[in-house]
Amino acid sequence: MPGGLVALLDDVAAIAKLAAASLDDVAGAAGKAGAKAAGVVIDDTAVTPGYVVGLAPARELPIIGKIALGSLRNKLLFLLPAALLLSAFAPWGIMPLLLVGGSYLCFEGAEKLWEKISGHGHAEDAVAEITDPTELEQRQVSGAIRTDFILSGEIMAIALEAVAGQGIVAQAVSLVLVAIAITAGVYGVVALIVKMDDIGLALAARGSSARQALGRGLVKTMPVLLRWLAGIGTAAMLWVGGGIVIHALESFGVAEPGHSLHHWAGQAEYALPLGGAVNWAVYAAGSAVVGLTIGAVIVALLHLLPRREH
């Protein structure tokens, strides 16, 4: 997987590798697989908080818990067996699966941009029409779990590619470790994000003036953070999806656009300060452009071209 997909979480990957170095080969394989999947984790973490917006604060953590359990069920009961069967009987199918999944992420990102530009957000309109809190909660949870299934599928496919050289038992254990660690990490961060305003209110209600100021700052920051996360989620879909497609194409012997992006990122790294960060930024931006182009084509085919009436 290109470095541009994982450089944003280099510190996390380094810690995982350091820990894995003191354990056995299975732990090392799990650390490697988790680092490979880091790019999709960014997307998952950015997208999920939007599913609890508009719901009762008391239901936020229970809803996130339901989504987390659904995510773990997706990974362990459905995707893990499928990944192991694929590895055992059709390893050649891993890259086509990544290509399809990456293209889907590109489509999701481009469609979100199209809905923002056109003002037609079908999912948001449908949610706005629901007045029963229980029905709304069920819809949001099921929608989040469906979205998670796609992202979890990408995580497991990327992780499977990273441990493809291991035996079947080592692959299974590695994927289980990756599934549990990523699910706990993603939804732990999501829970912290969505409860940030409640934490701020608690801090603002008592304590020193500095503590109260911090609490008020958290409350004011929450709406801004959610808007930023929505944008980051869309951008992540494009750069991660584009990067996955580029990587899959390279594995099929198609050098472009990956070769040019690597070249430009390398040139920028040597020409500008903060070389590693610049390398990642250039490659990620290029991947996002590729992702947007692929996604726009798919959006056009599905939504803009006239459909034949039957």
Side-chain angles (χ1 to χ4, degrees):
M1 185 61 59
L5 291 182
V6 300
L8 191 60
L9 295 182
D10 267 348
D11 290 341
V12 175
I15 292 170
K17 290 176 182 177
L18 183 61
S22 63
L23 301 174
D24 57 14
D25 290 340
V26 171
K32 179 182 178 183
K36 289 283 188 179
V40 185
V41 173
I42 303 167
D43 188 8
D44 208 356
T45 306
V47 168
T48 306
Y51 285 98
V52 299
V53 173
L55 298 173
R59 296 300 303 159
E60 289 173 345
L61 291 182
I63 288 169
I64 292 170
K66 288 181 180 180
I67 297 172
L69 287 176
S71 174
L72 200 58
R73 185 172 61 247
N74 284 342
K75 294 180 181 75
L76 297 182
L77 298 186
F78 302 111
L79 296 170
L80 175 61
L84 294 177
L85 287 172
L86 188 67
S87 177
F89 299 106
W92 49 266
I94 297 175
M95 277 302 161
L97 183 63
L98 282 174
L99 183 61
V100 171
S103 298
Y104 179 82
L105 289 177
C106 295
F107 160 70
E108 282 279 288
E111 186 175 50
K112 285 182 181 296
L113 286 177
W114 166 247
E115 289 178 351
K116 179 70 69 175
I117 294 171
S118 65
H120 298 298
H122 302 299
E124 290 79 359
D125 293 342
V127 168
E129 294 173 359
I130 299 175
T131 57
D132 179 36
T134 301
E135 182 183 354
L136 177 59
E137 178 176 322
Q138 291 174 346
R139 179 186 176 91
Q140 294 296 78
V141 169
S142 61
I145 292 174
R146 282 196 302 271
T147 299
D148 175 89
F149 189 88
I150 301 297
L151 297 173
S152 292
E154 285 299 287
I155 288 169
M156 297 299 274
I158 293 168
L160 179 63
E161 188 216 354
V163 298
Q166 301 287 325
I168 192 70
V169 174
Q171 287 182 7
V173 175
S174 298
L175 293 181
V176 167
L177 292 176
V178 167
I180 294 173
I182 285 180
T183 302
V186 166
Y187 291 100
V189 172
V190 169
L192 183 62
I193 290 171
V194 300
K195 299 306 290 183
M196 190 173 74
D197 54 349
D198 291 339
I199 296 171
L201 287 172
L203 290 174
R206 58 185 180 274
S208 65
S209 57
R211 181 173 176 175
Q212 292 176 0
L214 174 60
R216 290 191 294 270
L218 288 176
V219 173
K220 292 179 180 179
T221 301
M222 182 62 178
V224 177
L225 178 61
L226 287 175
R227 288 195 296 271
W228 273 94
L229 282 174
I232 291 171
T234 301
M237 285 181 182
L238 295 173
W239 97 59
V240 174
I244 290 172
V245 170
I246 291 168
H247 173 59
L249 291 176
E250 287 175 332
S251 72
F252 294 135
V254 180
E256 295 296 344
H259 175 76
S260 293
L261 287 182
H262 284 298
H263 174 73
W264 295 335
Q267 292 293 315
E269 179 177 359
Y270 286 109
L272 299 171
L274 302 175
V278 171
N279 186 306
W280 174 83
V282 171
Y283 193 94
S287 298
V289 172
V290 172
L292 179 59
T293 302
I294 295 169
V297 170
I298 299 174
V299 168
L301 291 175
L302 293 181
H303 294 295
L304 301 182
L305 294 182
R307 298 180 180 178
R308 245 191 296 179
E309 297 292 338
H310 295 286

